[in-house]
Amino acid sequence: MTMAQLYAEVVILGTALDKTLHYSIPADLAERVRPGTRVAVHLGNRIASGIVLSAVADPPDLPPAVSLRPILRVADEPPLPGDLLDLCGWISSYYFYPLGEVLALALPARGRERPARPVVKSVRLLRSGIPEGIRPQGKAGQILRLLEAAGGCVPLRDLRAGCGNCDRPLRKLVEAGAVAFEESASAPEERSHGNGPLPPPVDLTEDQAAAVSEIAPLLESPSFQPFVLYGVTGSGKTEVYLRLIEKAVESGRGCLVLVPEIALSAQMETIFRQRFPDILAVWHSALSDRERGLHWLDILSGEKSVVLGARSAVLTPVKDLGLVIVDEEHDGSYKQEDRLRYNARDVGIMRGMLRRIPVVLGSATPSLQTVQRVAQNAYRRVLLPSRVLDRPQPEIEIVDMRREGRGASIFSARLRKAVEQTMAEGRQALLFLNRRGFAKHFLCNACGHVLQCASCSVSLTYHRGEDCLRCHYCGWETTLPERCPACGHAALFPHGFGTEKVEREAQRLFPGARIVRIDRDATGSHESLLCALDSVRSGKADILLGTQMIAKGHDFPNITLVGIINADAGLQVPDFRAGESLVQLLVQVAGRAGRGDTPGLVLLQTYNPFHFTIESAMNMDYDGFCEKELESRKALQYPPFVRLLKLLVTAGRNEDACEGARLLASICREKAGSFNRSGRPVAVLGPSPAAFVKLKNRFRWQIFIKAWKSSDMQSFAEIVLRSVGGDAAFRNVQITVDRDPANEI
Ligand code: ADP
Ligand code: ZN
């Protein structure tokens, strides 16, 4: 009997093709072509990589005399898991982004063929003690001691670096059953970390135990259910995650753990490495292409079943996924602001829904979107209402800066005294300011001109260390001119301040204090950041000073004082979410205080002590804030009560961008008319220039679409984009879709 010919429907990776292509499946490959298989195929006159979506018996209708070309090769890794394939399809249609590009993001090296997987050889200690017939002073003895000190497993390469050629003693140790060789596809950097001593297992607090037992049943008989682990700072959310992961792993399932920024989650990473030394893959942007490729294969094969990483980890091919955790789910860094403008928290929830498994969203300050879904009973709330070991919440005190004398713009008398006292007691202080650099900008005292970036409508920040002016958007740098470029007067003065100036001021006020500054300028690289964090942890610093990089996640028990230098930064941002972000930030920063045995104090310097947002932070009343803020969002018809979509129109010339946006808005209004007549309300707002009308030499205009139902938004945007596609009137502009936009920039 001959087998019926099968055809594969293939998505070409890394292209904007909006359709799939069909190829015939050669008989000898038939066994290996499955949905999710990566294949090489002809595309025009080149060879391209693609992913098989489905295998079908009926080829699509073709003009006569055209025959389908065959699949050329099949990659030797397993196919992508079905839920990941479904997820990519959902992302493509929800965010209006080509499927081939989405899938390329889910693969390690974008669409390229990967090299064969190199193997890392390691030596593992099988038992402790020196076996008979081995001389403790000899080389074999040295190897054993080295292995023991390193926690039991060392890459062969490192062993050779430490002991020279050691093939013979190693062979002897293998024969004696003391050690064994191990081969793995993971990078040695990774493995040499993971074998530290296990921390003492803690007893869960009553609240933690209750949280685990509320969520755990859904791991045993899985179904889709988002939980909000709503726990105040210091309530021990991490331990709840760990217990849930243990349970999932025990029943043979994989886990995906998303954190906002992996570089800032060093402590979490250490704990995870200790608890899951052999099955953990840490996914972050500092990985080399090669490491990324190796991790990816280990994740796909199921060898690594726990994946910890920042937003792009949501697209890793975790096998038999049983649990998704999103830590600090409210965090803005889950939203990607270029190319595929997705929110990894939302994508993580969707992945859980497609796999029908529980999703845990953890936060001390959940997003209003999440709070609203709890109110609608779509998400279940699990509370951790107090800090572990009865540690009190810090005390918060407002410092009214309007009452300070002139010249006290950085340190109030109250904050100054508190820092001195904290240092005298041998404890540490954290100073927070959400602006880096020295001066906020340079202003001409004669004409009021503000020095601006040449490519962006953004004022330049002065960095005193390097004596330069820098654009915080595009990175452009220039030296300080002697005269105002607008009026020619030599009257340029710095205004406002950033972390660099706070550092100088702190050095002056607290002579002898050991100050560690953490921001993108001071600790740009991963290593320098880890180093700085470590010096705080080990007590080599008195004052930790920095931007939002120090605001969240860190657990430094000896920090008892938190000074928020300027709580108002963020109040004036023209965005309906400004208040929400500010309260979240202030509560998170305040949460860094008093995490050890001594209670903490938070001093909040503000010029707006009676502003609702500032008051909510002072009272640590996040629930109260949410209640009032939701009322106002409802009254103004803002998310989460409506859906938003931003159409960003950019061009090299302002006239083109403006004209393109006008035309697009009129098309939107025309389509909206017929939508509204058929009872599917959508509203079109704009066009208006973006908050930064020029960025990196491109001019930016925007249109907002409001819809009351997600399905209406979907079909409306589809119709608009279809009618715009290929329209010559738009050839000078680029149109970007940003669904559920995070800000109005
Ligand atoms: P959160 O993320 O909720 O702010 P963490 O998970 O960082 O809190 O935990 C805060 C501190 O409490 C950590 O130092 C952690 O080791 C400790 N901790 C967590 N659970 C327990 C427990 N059951 N018993 C003792 N200490 C705990
Ligand atoms: Zn710029």
Side-chain angles (χ1 to χ4, degrees):
M1 195 184 84
T2 55
M3 290 275 285
Q5 174 65 50
L6 278 179
Y7 301 89
E9 185 190 7
V10 174
V11 187
I12 306 293
L13 289 172
T15 65
L17 280 181
D18 62 354
K19 59 180 172 33
T20 52
L21 301 174
H22 283 81
Y23 293 89
S24 65
I25 305 176
D28 58 327
L29 296 180
E31 287 285 297
R32 292 169 55 205
V33 175
R34 299 268 171 280
T37 303
R38 196 166 54 90
V39 293
V41 292
H42 282 295
L43 180 71
N45 49 16
R46 69 181 176 102
I47 292 176
S49 260
I51 297 287
V52 175
L53 281 193
S54 61
V56 291
D58 295 316
D61 287 335
L62 284 175
V66 172
S67 66
L68 288 173
R69 295 201 273 183
I71 285 175
L72 299 173
R73 281 191 306 280
V74 173
D76 54 12
E77 78 246 2
L80 294 177
D83 63 309
L84 180 57
L85 216 53
D86 293 346
L87 185 74
C88 289
W90 176 82
I91 290 174
S92 168
S93 79
Y94 188 82
Y95 291 107
F96 301 96
Y97 206 74
L99 181 56
E101 303 257 26
V102 178
L103 282 166
L105 292 171
L107 294 170
R110 294 198 69 188
R112 271 183 282 129
E113 297 278 324
R114 272 182 308 282
R117 102 194 218 154
V119 168
V120 177
K121 215 168 178 181
S122 321
V123 181
R124 183 177 282 281
L125 189 64
L126 295 179
R127 50 191 161 86
S128 57
I130 309 252
E132 251 177 69
I134 303 284
R135 277 189 313 121
Q137 311 86 326
K139 202 161 214 178
Q142 188 192 349
I143 293 171
L144 288 177
R145 281 193 298 278
L146 208 146
L147 283 170
E148 201 134 8
C153 186
V154 170
L156 188 55
R157 206 180 61 188
D158 297 0
L159 206 59
R160 286 204 175 110
C163 312
N165 187 351
C166 45
D167 290 357
R168 278 193 41 204
L170 268 178
R171 215 175 315 136
K172 255 173 134 177
L173 286 171
V174 172
E175 278 162 18
V179 305
F181 287 113
E182 234 178 51
E183 288 189 347
S184 95
S186 34
E189 301 73 78
E190 163 91 353
R191 297 190 67 83
S192 54
H193 268 94
N195 296 291
L198 285 174
V202 292
D203 289 327
L204 293 182
T205 63
E206 241 171 71
D207 292 331
Q208 285 172 324
V212 170
S213 56
E214 187 161 351
I215 302 169
L218 276 113
L219 294 170
E220 276 134 38
S221 47
S223 68
F224 173 61
Q225 175 62 56
F227 290 92
V228 182
L229 186 59
Y230 185 11
V232 298
T233 55
S235 59
K237 292 185 283 292
T238 313
E239 192 57 41
V240 174
Y241 302 153
L242 291 165
R243 299 296 168 109
L244 293 172
I245 295 168
E246 271 164 17
K247 285 188 191 293
V249 168
E250 267 166 32
S251 49
R253 293 168 152 258
C255 299
L256 181 60
V257 185
L258 301 180
V259 290
E261 268 177 89
I262 192 78
L264 302 181
S265 312
Q267 270 167 263
M268 185 115 150
E269 184 178 335
T270 307
I271 296 169
F272 270 70
R273 284 196 194 281
Q274 287 167 338
R275 289 290 181 95
F276 308 107
D278 299 320
I279 54 172
L280 177 72
V282 179
W283 190 259
H284 57 81
S285 58
L287 292 176
S288 68
D289 276 0
R290 190 181 137 272
E291 287 168 321
R292 194 173 283 261
L294 294 173
H295 278 19
W296 187 83
L297 286 174
D298 284 343
I299 296 167
L300 183 63
S301 68
E303 205 169 306
K304 304 273 167 157
S305 53
V306 178
V307 177
L308 172 71
R311 67 178 171 236
S312 65
V314 77
L315 290 175
T316 52
V318 183
K319 199 176 168 191
D320 298 325
L321 187 63
L323 174 66
V324 176
I325 293 172
V326 185
D327 189 35
E328 310 290 3
E329 66 88 26
H330 63 278
D331 198 287
S333 62
Y334 284 122
K335 178 74 177 7
Q336 177 154 302
E337 291 296 359
D338 62 345
R339 296 170 306 165
L340 173 56
R341 295 176 172 235
Y342 69 108
N343 184 313
R345 182 252 336 261
D346 297 339
V347 172
I349 294 169
M350 185 45 72
R351 190 156 182 188
M353 187 158 147
L354 293 169
R355 256 308 282 175
R356 299 195 191 87
I357 53 169
V359 176
V360 176
L361 309 173
S363 180
T365 52
S367 62
L368 283 186
Q369 168 183 324
T370 296
V371 170
Q372 170 70 359
R373 302 245 165 105
V374 171
Q376 296 165 330
N377 291 321
Y379 297 177
R380 266 163 66 185
R381 191 164 78 158
V382 179
L383 283 176
L384 295 178
S386 49
R387 288 189 158 181
V388 295
L389 307 177
D390 295 322
R391 286 173 195 150
Q393 283 280 359
E395 189 186 321
I396 305 189
E397 206 181 294
I398 290 227
V399 180
D400 185 346
M401 293 302 278
R402 298 171 307 176
R403 298 190 178 176
E404 293 293 315
R406 276 177 68 85
S409 62
I410 299 184
F411 285 90
S412 60
R414 176 77 179 101
L415 179 57
R416 197 174 150 176
K417 243 173 102 189
V419 172
E420 279 163 0
Q421 193 181 342
T422 304
M423 283 172 54
E425 287 166 0
R427 307 192 189 282
Q428 296 167 304
L430 180 152
L431 300 176
F432 170 79
L433 176 68
N434 216 2
R435 188 188 302 127
R436 60 204 171 94
F438 186 81
K440 191 178 161 206
H441 52 239
F442 258 83
L443 190 81
C444 173
N445 264 9
C447 75
H449 178 77
V450 174
L451 295 181
Q452 288 215 330
C453 175
S455 327
C456 311
S457 50
V458 172
S459 59
L460 293 168
T461 304
Y462 180 59
H463 291 259
R464 182 150 175 175
E466 301 117 301
D467 190 24
C468 74
L469 292 161
R470 185 179 296 149
C471 171
H472 283 182
Y473 283 84
C474 72
W476 184 70
E477 276 181 22
T478 183
T479 50
L480 189 60
E482 272 171 28
R483 294 178 171 278
C484 171
C487 73
H489 277 90
L492 291 167
F493 287 95
H495 280 251
F497 55 86
T499 45
E500 207 184 327
K501 185 155 180 189
V502 176
E503 185 180 18
R504 289 220 160 200
E505 189 66 4
Q507 279 162 350
R508 193 177 68 79
L509 290 177
F510 316 112
R514 296 164 301 170
I515 303 175
V516 168
R517 191 179 110 214
I518 293 185
D519 57 35
R520 301 252 173 258
D521 303 311
T523 49
S525 75
H526 194 74
E527 284 72 28
S528 63
L529 175 65
L530 291 183
C531 225
L533 291 173
D534 191 59
S535 65
V536 178
R537 165 152 297 272
S538 59
K540 287 194 220 102
D542 305 306
I543 298 178
L544 169 62
L545 155 72
T547 55
Q548 85 283 351
M549 288 175 79
I550 60 169
K552 42 202 178 188
H554 309 294
D555 188 26
F556 298 120
N558 203 30
I559 290 182
T560 51
L561 173 70
V562 164
I564 297 171
I565 303 282
N566 177 11
D568 307 332
L571 274 184
Q572 271 78 38
V573 180
D575 189 314
F576 69 87
R577 282 197 191 83
E580 178 182 352
S581 311
L582 182 59
V583 179
Q584 288 167 344
L585 186 62
L586 294 178
V587 172
Q588 293 288 339
V589 182
R592 298 313 110 210
R595 294 173 70 92
D597 299 325
T598 315
L601 172 68
V602 179
L603 295 179
L604 208 151
Q605 301 191 145
T606 175
Y607 288 91
N608 298 281
F610 301 111
H611 193 288
F612 166 55
T613 307
I614 304 285
E615 279 190 330
S616 304
M618 182 189 72
N619 299 325
M620 282 291 213
D621 183 14
Y622 191 66
D623 289 335
F625 170 80
C626 291
E627 202 177 302
K628 240 177 128 175
E629 182 71 10
L630 280 171
E631 267 170 34
S632 111
R633 298 266 185 99
K634 189 169 187 179
L636 298 167
Q637 292 292 288
Y638 271 131
F641 296 96
V642 297
R643 301 301 190 116
L644 281 185
L645 181 145
K646 177 164 79 178
L647 293 167
L648 184 65
V649 182
T650 65
R653 295 179 348 140
N654 194 30
E655 306 84 81
D656 289 342
C658 174
E659 197 42 49
R662 277 212 191 108
L663 186 60
L664 182 57
S666 71
I667 294 175
C668 288
R669 291 217 158 81
E670 180 202 318
K671 307 280 179 208
S674 64
F675 256 70
N676 292 341
R677 282 191 291 281
S678 67
R680 294 174 293 169
V682 290
V684 180
L685 311 163
S688 61
F692 295 108
V693 70
K694 183 175 152 202
L695 280 187
K696 299 184 186 176
N697 278 324
R698 286 191 72 81
F699 290 87
R700 314 157 77 243
W701 284 69
Q702 60 197 14
I703 297 160
F704 281 93
I705 314 287
K706 224 181 223 190
W708 279 258
K709 277 168 68 183
S710 188
S711 54
D712 290 348
M713 182 68 90
Q714 184 74 33
S715 43
F716 181 77
E718 273 167 18
I719 288 169
V720 168
L721 292 171
R722 207 175 305 136
S723 81
V724 165
D727 186 334
F730 293 101
R731 68 173 177 271
N732 291 328
V733 300
Q734 193 187 342
I735 298 174
T736 307
V737 182
D738 189 352
R739 190 156 188 183
D740 308 325
N743 55 47
E744 298 184 6
I745 286 175

